[in-house]
């Protein structure tokens, strides 16, 4: 006598429980997949953006360090010889080590390709020979990444060296490769990311130098 009543109560309890039907699952699954795809895409974009930032930071750091060394040596040079707007030869004191005294060396800064190279050789009389001998060359700007080997911050546009003379009366600046009193150094660096190219600029007073050519 009690069993039919128990069965009836059990069926009523089961019908009262919440649950998802097959149709509801079929509707919810595509929505869940779409939301998951959006999340994955957002994470991927965030990763690419972070890579862009890291590459630009590395290119900027590399360019700033190279530009600082370049302008420091030009500022301290005994003489300059401009072979073009992208190549300059100088004679400057170089320390072979941190504790050694500076000795005169012939140094060439060559930014005529997609990198800026620094070459160093024995000192020579002015003007330097057409094809001087250099004992070592290093890439100072546009060098490979220490982590990935990829190169960031390559040179684009090779009008790097812009020697000028400034009119003391008008203050007007004009290009002057023979007797400049100021040198503008401009670097435009490419990056592999989706951002704009980087631009670095510095100026060097040449009042201490007495000999120029170009």
């Amino acid at each position: 006598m009690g069993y039919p009543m128990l069965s009836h109560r059990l069926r009523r309890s089961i019908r009262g429980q919440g649950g998802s039907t097959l149709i509801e699952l079929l509707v919810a699954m595509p929505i869940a997949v779409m939301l998951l795809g959006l999340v994955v895409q957002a994470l991927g974009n965030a990763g690419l953006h972070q890579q862009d930032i890291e590459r630009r930071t590395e290119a900027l750091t590399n360019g700033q360090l190279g530009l600082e060394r370049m302008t420091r040596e030009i500022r301290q040079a005994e003489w300059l010889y401009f072979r073009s707007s992208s190549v300059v030869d100088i004679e400057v004191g170089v320390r072979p080590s941190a504790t050694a005294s500076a000795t005169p060396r012939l140094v060439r800064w060559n930014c005529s390709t997609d990198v800026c190279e620094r070459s160093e050789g024995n000192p020579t009389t002015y003007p330097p020979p057409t094809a001087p001998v250099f004992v070592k060359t290093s890439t100072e700007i546009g060098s490979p990444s220490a982590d990935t080997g990829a190169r960031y911050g390559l040179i684009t546009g090779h009008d790097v060296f812009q020697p000028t003379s400034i009119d003391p009366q008008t203050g007007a600046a004009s290009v002057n490769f023979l007797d400049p009193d100021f040198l503008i150094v401009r670097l435009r660096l490419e990056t592999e990311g989706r951002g704009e190219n980087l631009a670095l600029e510095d100026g060097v007073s040449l009042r201490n130098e007495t000999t120029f050519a170009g």
Side-chain angles (χ1 to χ4, degrees):
M1 293 290 294
Y3 291 111
M5 180 64 69
L6 178 61
S7 178
H8 175 70
R9 290 178 180 176
L10 181 59
R11 289 196 300 270
R12 184 171 59 184
S13 176
I14 293 175
R15 287 197 300 268
Q17 292 180 354
S20 299
T21 66
L22 179 60
I23 296 177
E24 290 173 335
L25 289 175
L26 291 176
V27 173
M29 287 179 61
I31 296 176
V33 171
M34 181 180 66
L35 292 176
L36 180 61
L38 292 175
V39 171
V40 172
Q41 182 179 4
L43 292 175
N45 290 337
L48 291 176
H49 182 64
Q50 181 63 29
Q51 289 181 356
D52 289 348
I53 294 176
E54 292 175 355
R55 290 170 179 174
R56 289 178 65 83
T57 300
E58 184 170 0
L60 180 61
T61 301
N62 177 262
Q64 288 175 331
L65 291 175
L67 179 61
E68 180 182 355
R69 183 177 188 181
M70 178 195 300
T71 54
R72 182 177 68 249
E73 290 189 337
I74 292 175
R75 189 176 292 112
Q76 298 172 351
E78 293 295 327
W79 49 257
L80 289 84
Y81 189 92
F82 294 99
R83 297 193 179 272
S84 68
S85 60
S86 57
V87 181
V88 61
D89 291 345
I90 63 176
E91 183 179 291
V92 64
V94 177
R95 294 179 181 272
S97 66
T99 58
S101 301
T103 57
R105 302 291 287 171
L106 174 64
V107 172
R108 169 175 291 180
W109 282 92
N110 183 352
C111 303
S112 60
T113 62
D114 58 358
V115 299
C116 279
E117 292 183 335
R118 179 187 180 277
S119 300
E120 185 179 320
N122 294 324
T124 183
T125 57
Y126 181 90
T130 304
V133 177
F134 296 106
V135 296
K136 63 178 180 179
T137 298
S138 60
T139 300
E140 297 295 322
I141 302 174
S143 57
S145 167
D147 297 327
T148 65
R151 295 191 302 172
Y152 311 130
L154 300 180
I155 303 295
T156 172
H158 306 299
D159 292 328
V160 175
F161 304 112
Q162 302 179 34
T164 61
S165 291
I166 301 176
D167 191 315
Q169 297 181 348
T170 65
S174 58
V175 177
N176 186 345
F177 278 85
L178 298 178
D179 189 23
D181 49 32
F182 195 79
L183 175 64
I184 299 172
V185 182
R186 290 194 178 102
L187 294 174
R188 294 185 294 277
L189 310 178
E190 290 182 343
T191 57
E192 291 188 1
R194 291 165 290 181
E196 296 180 354
N197 291 340
L198 299 171
L200 300 177
E201 182 174 322
D202 201 354
V204 180
S205 174
L206 302 177
R207 297 184 185 279
N208 293 332
E209 287 78 3
T210 58
T211 309
F212 308 94

